[in-house]
Amino acid sequence: MIRRDLLKAAAGAVVVARPGQPDPAWQGWRVDGARANRWLTELARFGANPGGGVSRVGFSDADIEARRWLMGVMREVGLSPAVDPAGNILAKIDGSEPGLKPLLFGSHIDSVLNGGNYDGDVGSLGAIDVMATLLTKRYRNRHPFWVTIWADEESGLTGSRGFLGEISQEELGRVRPSDTVPLGELIGRVGGDPAAMATYRHEPGSIAGYVELHIEQGGTLDQARIDIGVVEGIVGIVSFEVTISGFANHAGTTPMPGRRNALTAASELVLAVDRIVNRHPGRQVGTVGRLDVKPGARNVIPGEVRLSIELRDLDMAKLDRLWREIKAAGDAIMSRRQTAWEASPRPTNQAAKSDPKVRATIAAATRSLGLSQRVLPSGAGHDAQDLARIGPMGMIFVPSVGGISHAPQEFTKPADVTNGINVLLQTILRLDQA
Ligand code: GLV
Ligand code: MN
Ligand code: MN
């Protein structure tokens, strides 16, 4: 729809490689790394914490202001961003060949509480930088190109699940544990249209591919001094909201025997999760990351504890087995401590393999830039694992210094940010020509 006239006027600016012909000019194209790194610094203002990093939780005021700023940046470089029903920011450019499906690339700009300035931000600004570069070069893209900034990634891949049509009306009407209003209302706040989500969906086979640039968030690349990670797959995540019920009573007058202390039961459960996840070979991980104790007073025996349990692995069947073991251990703990428990599952993030052709394309793009690379799994969740259900998916990782992420100390060197964006640029160009 947009840029077509401009692109038509520039027809002939790009020579596509044919067998026996010299390398096309686009193979030498590079992004302006300084620009994306400057954008990263500017984005860090929104939700900035005094001690560094940001709290820019999805749908918060800081998130809403950052999204407004980001759409301004998109307009400045010649894009026309729009918010889809699920609250995602999409900027689309028509392709020159009718019938070709869109190539998508992007990430997210929401953060965890007390998060850093790189998780999601690098891939979002990188995608805009790639698109800006292609517009400046007057590239004639064959496929439609869509820059996708997913809404509320950190709380359960909300935007990408909404894009696929996987968020039910029931989920839209529900208030999540850390929110005060229903999800649908939150999506409306950022310009989404929850009513339209009933029919909004993207079916399997409807996209040519999805590529996401992201920081590694682990220490593999940094320790081995490797420039680029080619992601082989993304872990599945199952998680539960657990409520343990005991009996709140006087901490001074109630004898130790017979107490129904929800916190001592919870403590045993926390250790059981750790023990069970640890006792099997493999790279699976399990975490209790939140614990709310009620009534939370020094002189009252805790009557109720709510906590989260999260399990991750590339193999969904293994997650199922681990949960069954935790469930059995939990039942035994609760019966011994005369407490009751309930565990309700949160939306599952399905594990996903990246597409071998996209992986090979990322590898070729990395080689063409003279950068070193390694194939690795992603222990973090990403919207890319949802997109893998509707088309070929690939992810590009850049090093995280010290492997630190979801923390204010999260850091990726500007040169690595630039490398990653150049790999994204060269990957998108190759996929478009393929
Ligand atoms: C998202 O970043 C996650 O892995 O939790
Ligand atoms: Mn994250
Ligand atoms: Mn992320």
Side-chain angles (χ1 to χ4, degrees), residues 107-108 119-120 153-154 212 214 217 381-382:
S107 193
H108 64 96
D119 176 358
E153 188 268 357
E154 295 289 2
E212 183 165 345
H214 206 282
Q217 305 182 269
H382 299 285

Side-chain angles (χ1 to χ4, degrees), residues 10-95:
V14 173
V15 183
V16 176
R18 303 269 179 260
Q21 289 194 343
D23 284 350
W26 58 258
Q27 289 196 1
W29 291 353
R30 302 290 179 265
V31 297
D32 169 4
R35 171 171 61 187
N37 279 294
R38 193 180 63 242
W39 284 339
L40 266 177
T41 313
E42 290 175 22
L43 178 54
R45 292 197 313 264
F46 300 96
N49 286 318
V54 288
S55 291
R56 196 162 58 232
V57 172
F59 309 124
S60 64
D61 290 348
D63 183 42
I64 291 170
E65 282 162 27
R67 289 165 56 99
R68 196 175 302 131
W69 171 83
L70 191 82
M71 287 194 268
V73 169
M74 289 168 130
R75 285 188 203 99
E76 264 169 38
V77 301
L79 295 170
S80 300
V83 178
D84 78 354
N88 303 304
I89 300 171
L90 306 183
K92 304 179 178 182
I93 288 191
D94 286 347

Side-chain angles (χ1 to χ4, degrees), residues 108 112 119 153-157 214 217 234-235 237 310 312 349 378-383 385 405-406:
H108 64 96
V112 292
D119 176 358
E153 188 268 357
E154 295 289 2
S155 305
L157 312 181
H214 206 282
Q217 305 182 269
I234 306 172
V235 291
I237 307 178
E310 190 208 73
R312 302 186 182 213
N349 295 358
S378 172
H382 299 285
D383 295 298
Q385 67 201 100
S405 185
H406 281 186

Side-chain angles (χ1 to χ4, degrees), residues 1 48 58 66 96 106 108 118 153 193 233 243 293 312 318-319 325 335 358 364 374 389 407 409 422:
M1 6 190 140
S96 61
H108 64 96
Y118 297 84
E153 188 268 357
D193 183 354
T243 305
V293 182
R312 302 186 182 213
K318 186 188 236 181
L319 294 180
E325 283 183 47
S335 118
V358 179
R374 176 177 290 182
R389 291 198 282 285
Q409 297 87 347
N422 276 322

Side-chain angles (χ1 to χ4, degrees), residues 23 41 80 99 195 202 221 260 272 310 314-315 365 407:
D23 284 350
T41 313
S80 300
H202 290 85
L221 298 175
R260 296 169 56 203
E310 190 208 73
L314 280 173
D315 175 2

Side-chain angles (χ1 to χ4, degrees), residues 8 20 48 99 118 137 139 164 198 224 238 259 269 273 293 305 314 337 356 361 363 371 373 389 407-408 421:
K8 262 186 208 139
Y118 297 84
K137 298 285 189 188
Y139 176 67
L164 266 59
V238 295
R259 284 185 175 203
L269 182 64
V273 170
V293 182
V305 172
L314 280 173
R337 291 204 168 261
T361 307
L371 301 170
Q373 58 184 290
R389 291 198 282 285
I421 304 174

Side-chain angles (χ1 to χ4, degrees), residues 4 11 13 28 37 75 84 127 152 177 251 255 260 267 294 300 330 380 416 418:
R4 221 42 0 229
N37 279 294
R75 285 188 203 99
D84 78 354
D152 190 41
R260 296 169 56 203
S267 309
K294 284 188 181 148
V300 184
D416 287 325
T418 304

